[in-house]
Amino acid sequence: MIEEFYDFPQELLDLDAKALELCKEQFAHLEEIRDYNQLKMLRAFTDNKVSATHLVGSTGYGYDDMGREKLDQVFAQVVGAEDALCRSHFLSGTHALTVALFGLLRAGDTLLAATGAPYDTLESVIGKGESGRGFGTLQEYGIHYKEVPLTKDWQPDYEAIAAQAPGATVCHIQRSRGYTVRNAFDLDTIEKVIKTVKAANPDIVVMVDNCYGEFTQKREPIQVGADLMVGSLIKNAGGGIAPTGGYIAGRKDLVEKCAHRLTCPGIGRELGCTLDVLRQLYLGIYYAPGVTCEALKTAVYAQCILELMGKNPTPKYWEDHNDIVTCFEAGSAQALTGFCVGIQSGSPVDSYVSPEPYAMPGYDSEVVMAAGAFTLGSSIELSCDGPIRPPYACYLQGGLNFTASRAGVLLALKKAYFSQD
Ligand SMILES: *Cc1c(COP(=O)(O)O)cnc(C)c1O
């Protein structure tokens, strides 16, 4: 059927057919996870008695905004947490993580990063090296920082974690890969890290960066012992519908501390008007299990074709998935740019523009990215990017629906590997 709409070389169509056959079992597994999470979501809506009045927002100070409070409760139930802040007032994942770190840590405390260097944008929040200097980093507020690197094969270094945990106040764990070639950590691994730090320091607060991990499994990090988990609503958890926002979920006393940092000490969660965005946040989280499944199917399908083509992607299509990201080495600047050009051409918005490499602040080489999305910068929508330097690593993520994203992946492969120009 796809040939009726797009012109692909026969060799690529054969790969497509083979991949669809090989992915059947994994697709069925992903659909089972989706169904479980969707029913969990429905129960959270009905148990909490969400009504039409909750979908209407507030203005001004936002006192007594019932819809805002109800959304927090629904989200908390879905992720197995005591409490949550699920709000448009978080600008991004980085902002939600920053609110959590400043909410939990005080002068003299120590932050321990247990799974290697945290996501790049947190460098200036922590104040690693020169980054963020003068802007009020954690270190400038007298908070100490320790980092346990991953082992050579990208696993947590349990011995070093146990040795560093005593004396630390907060332990940071990152589930997804960020810009490394490691795979995302599964929940058993996260549980083992948590047990290791808590055995060495029972009072430590464990916070998981859950960006890209939501609804990829039946459980969430809180259910394996994390005290707090944090993420973005323009990734998995917003279902491609939330236009902005993020969340912090976990232990009630800790969520409360974060609320007073999100707004002001003494005001906490009582203020914050929701304007006209609540309906989209409710609809977005309601759709999130299904949309995350579509993105995972896109990832698995792309991984399968890339594997058949000998491109050695991470993760493998048959593996268990804990984030929606696919990483592979494009092999050349031309192939990487071509892949991004192809993804863009198969995007529902801005399909006619052609991405070009450009210099981005904070990167030491040029970067190329494709992002033809309904929500600017949304990476639950089909998108990809990579730095223009060997080995030309390409990060592919998202896809609101598998049928359209499959076409996008085929257009990308055609442009990168099956065309003369
Ligand atoms: C995307 C991401 C972040 C930051 O989220 P933004 O919304 O881009 O600020 C943090 N951690 C991980 C693992 C991520 O994937």
Side-chain angles (χ1 to χ4, degrees), residues 91-95 97 119 121-122 174-178 209-212 232 234-235 379:
L91 311 181
S92 64
T94 305
H95 183 219
L97 287 158
Y119 197 74
T121 53
L122 292 180
Q174 185 180 306
R175 185 176 182 186
S176 183
R177 71 201 65 222
D209 174 351
N210 199 37
C211 285
Y212 280 141
S232 163
I234 63 167
K235 292 181 175 177
S379 48

Side-chain angles (χ1 to χ4, degrees), residues 26 83 165 185 217 260 317 379 415:
Q26 182 68 289
D83 199 1
F185 290 127
Q217 295 288 325
H260 288 265
Y317 70 89
S379 48
K415 189 77 187 166

